[in-house]
Amino acid sequence: MDMPERNTPKIGLALGGGAARGGAHLGVIKALEEEGIQVDFVSGTSIGAIVGAAYATGTLNHLEDFTRNLDWQKMARFYDVALPFSGLIDGRKVTRFLEGLLEGHSFATLSCPLSVVACDLNDGHEVDLCEGNLVEAVRASISIPGLFRPVIKNGEILVDGGLVNPVPVSVVRQMGADIVIAVDLNHKSKGKVANKTAMLSEEARTDASEDSKLKNNTNPLMKKLEALEASGLSRIRAWREKETVPNLAEIMMLSLDVMGTQVREARFREDPPDLLIQPEVDHITFLEFHRAKELIDIGYEEAKSALAKWDME
């Protein structure tokens, strides 16, 4: 039996990219659900594509459980080197994770319409994926150029949609949304890039952690590394204290963010969302996946605050 159509405005949710900061999306969605806001259309870019797909497949709780238990060691398991080097990470392990998370769903079996955003490197045009292989579409949307191997489909070279549409407000409008709620994870709340300071402090914590592992580990190989510490690692650490340069993955993500900021601001001027939620997460770097609980809480609190001030009419 056909269900009667709602007379209320259709709501679209646009979830932006931000790598590890995507944990804030989970908190925002939790706040929306508590307020009884029914989302009719979802679009996501990069990490927003993963969260959007989990929302539309009803597996958001599985994703939250997974992210809350992430640490550096677990993240390292996803790093499968790509040969030849079209990207540092091949992505097969990420694909297997997505297959498990999305439980065999296709775009046709979702609880609400979903579109994920990618960019075709052939000519730089936006590709909105809303049919076919769901896992492949999400995998394309998260493919940061140089970091992940691109997804090749029908002659298109698909990479991270943040290059062309970092927070896909326009996509959910085209899908039929009357009201668009957008979540932007990459605005600079203090008017400056806070990533570098946070990143360097994280490097210092990592160095201390590695020192501790070297001193306490009984593995013969680690003992050999410990013997080299005075002559080798200490010199590297001294150099890093003078040359505070981010690693390659961080440089790629920061570069994408610089480009994405310009595109995002232009898009917002052209097509502003009806409600823009911007969690204060610029003190957390793109690779700090182990801070998921903090990010979820920040997203939840920011969404509750924004919704309290919002007049939906």
Side-chain angles (χ1 to χ4, degrees):
M1 183 174 66
D2 293 335
M3 296 294 291
E5 291 189 8
R6 281 168 42 208
N7 294 323
T8 54
K10 298 291 182 69
I11 296 176
L13 180 62
L15 301 173
R21 295 173 179 175
H25 284 322
L26 301 174
V28 169
I29 292 173
K30 185 177 295 186
L32 293 178
E33 291 178 338
E34 283 187 1
E35 296 295 325
I37 294 176
Q38 178 179 330
V39 174
D40 300 283
F41 305 99
V42 180
S43 182
T45 295
S46 198
I47 191 66
I50 295 179
V51 176
Y55 177 82
T57 56
T59 58
L60 210 57
N61 288 338
H62 298 318
L63 180 60
E64 180 173 340
D65 290 343
F66 174 79
T67 57
R68 283 182 180 275
N69 291 293
L70 268 180
D71 55 28
W72 292 107
Q73 189 174 33
K74 290 177 181 176
M75 280 303 302
R77 296 172 186 169
F78 289 103
Y79 300 159
D80 46 354
V81 177
L83 293 171
F85 291 103
S86 55
L88 293 178
I89 300 173
D90 185 275
R92 286 173 294 178
K93 293 180 180 179
V94 172
T95 297
R96 287 198 293 270
F97 163 73
L98 292 173
E99 289 170 344
L101 173 68
L102 303 180
E103 298 180 345
H105 278 278
S106 67
F107 280 100
T109 62
L110 301 178
S111 62
C112 69
L114 169 73
S115 183
V116 301
V117 181
C119 172
D120 181 8
L121 284 183
N122 285 309
D123 55 11
H125 80 275
E126 178 180 332
V127 180
D128 301 328
L129 301 165
C130 57
E131 59 184 12
N133 188 311
L134 177 61
V135 169
E136 183 182 58
V138 174
R139 168 69 177 79
S141 184
I142 67 172
S143 298
I144 297 169
L147 185 59
F148 279 96
R149 185 196 292 271
V151 170
I152 310 299
K153 181 178 181 181
N154 300 325
E156 295 176 323
I157 306 173
L158 301 178
V159 296
D160 196 304
L163 290 169
V164 287
N165 202 346
V167 185
V169 173
S170 59
V171 178
V172 282
R173 286 219 195 275
Q174 292 166 5
M175 293 171 74
D178 302 304
I179 294 174
V180 176
I181 300 172
V183 187
D184 171 24
L185 304 179
N186 295 326
H187 77 294
K188 305 300 183 288
S189 60
K190 298 181 176 66
K192 61 181 179 180
V193 178
N195 292 342
K196 185 174 181 182
T197 301
M199 179 172 54
L200 297 177
S201 65
E202 180 57 42
E203 286 182 345
R205 290 195 297 271
T206 301
D207 282 342
S209 175
E210 292 305 315
D211 286 346
S212 175
K213 289 177 184 177
L214 285 172
K215 291 173 182 177
N216 297 325
N217 203 298
T218 58
N219 185 290
L221 176 59
M222 298 306 291
K223 287 289 186 181
K224 291 180 181 180
L225 289 175
E226 181 181 358
L228 293 173
E229 195 273 345
S231 60
L233 298 183
S234 60
R235 284 203 298 271
I236 293 173
R237 196 153 37 247
W239 173 80
R240 289 175 68 184
E241 289 174 358
K242 296 178 182 178
E243 303 291 337
T244 51
V245 179
N247 65 42
L248 182 58
E250 289 163 332
I251 289 172
M252 291 173 182
M253 291 182 177
L254 288 169
S255 299
L256 183 64
D257 184 43
V258 169
M259 292 184 289
T261 296
Q262 306 301 317
V263 176
R264 183 174 65 250
E265 291 177 355
R267 289 272 190 166
F268 282 168
R269 286 193 297 270
E270 179 182 330
D271 187 7
D274 298 281
L275 175 63
L276 178 59
I277 300 174
Q278 295 180 308
E280 302 284 347
V281 294
D282 63 334
H283 62 290
I284 297 175
T285 72
F286 297 113
L287 296 179
E288 293 186 293
F289 287 91
H290 60 288
R291 299 177 71 175
K293 182 182 184 304
E294 178 184 354
L295 284 157
I296 293 169
D297 291 343
I298 292 172
Y300 175 82
E301 294 299 333
E302 183 62 33
K304 293 289 279 189
S305 176
L307 289 168
K309 302 171 186 175
W310 183 42
D311 182 2
M312 188 172 169
E313 300 298 327

